[in-house]
Amino acid sequence: MYPGTATQKQIIPKDSRALYFKADQDDKNIQTILLAPAANISATTDEYLIVIGVPGLYREDFSIEVKEGVIRISAQHTATACGSNDRREYDYTEWTRNFALPPDADTMLANAKYKNGELILHIPRGNTIEGRDTITIYVY
């Protein structure tokens, strides 16, 4: 190849997740993960913060559940019909993301809101009660 010419090699972005969270990725799910919306994860001394960019959805479209230390965030939205000349560069009508939570995440006090196309989850740090059933977090 000559310098400056395009190649047909597929470039997969490097894995860049936060230290405390691990996305549920294996070789079978890599295509599904690449189609899911991106997430920004940060931690402070008081809480963990997960921000997912998902424009065009409603708060009723989201389902957030915590079970056995894993938070499952999913959405399902009925898309409007596209014309033959429409162009879509993003389509987050149906997706799922899973994150393993650190041991000090207090999921009982977690809250979520959907604002300006972003799903924002606040998970405070505190005591974790082991052996809980599935916890559902509602989006406000």
Side-chain angles (χ1 to χ4, degrees):
M1 299 296 310
Y2 296 105
T5 59
T7 63
Q8 300 221 355
K9 181 179 177 183
Q10 181 181 7
I11 300 173
I12 298 174
K14 290 187 176 183
D15 188 23
S16 60
R17 293 186 300 265
L19 179 64
Y20 295 108
F21 293 85
K22 181 181 177 190
D24 184 21
Q25 296 184 14
D26 54 358
D27 292 335
K28 295 180 283 185
N29 288 355
I30 194 68
Q31 188 64 27
T32 304
I33 297 296
L34 292 176
L35 296 176
N40 294 333
I41 303 170
S42 61
T44 65
T45 57
D46 298 330
E47 70 177 358
Y48 297 103
L49 181 68
I50 302 174
V51 180
I52 301 177
V54 282
L57 299 179
Y58 300 101
R59 66 182 184 91
E60 297 86 15
D61 297 333
F62 297 103
S63 172
I64 305 170
E65 294 179 344
V66 180
K67 184 175 183 178
E68 298 177 2
V70 175
I71 187 166
R72 181 179 180 269
I73 306 165
S74 61
Q76 188 169 9
H77 177 73
T78 305
T80 57
C82 290
S84 60
N85 294 328
D86 291 347
R87 177 178 171 164
R88 289 184 165 228
E89 292 194 1
Y90 67 88
D91 183 15
Y92 299 132
T93 55
E94 188 173 347
W95 54 269
T96 300
R97 295 288 308 262
N98 296 317
F99 300 98
L101 294 172
D104 65 340
D106 189 357
T107 55
M108 289 300 293
L109 298 175
N111 63 45
K113 64 181 175 180
Y114 182 66
K115 183 176 180 182
N116 297 331
E118 293 182 329
L119 178 65
I120 304 166
L121 282 94
H122 296 274
I123 305 168
R125 288 183 167 190
N127 297 331
T128 303
I129 301 172
E130 296 293 329
R132 284 248 177 218
D133 290 334
T134 303
I135 298 170
T136 302
I137 301 172
Y138 296 98
V139 180
Y140 296 100

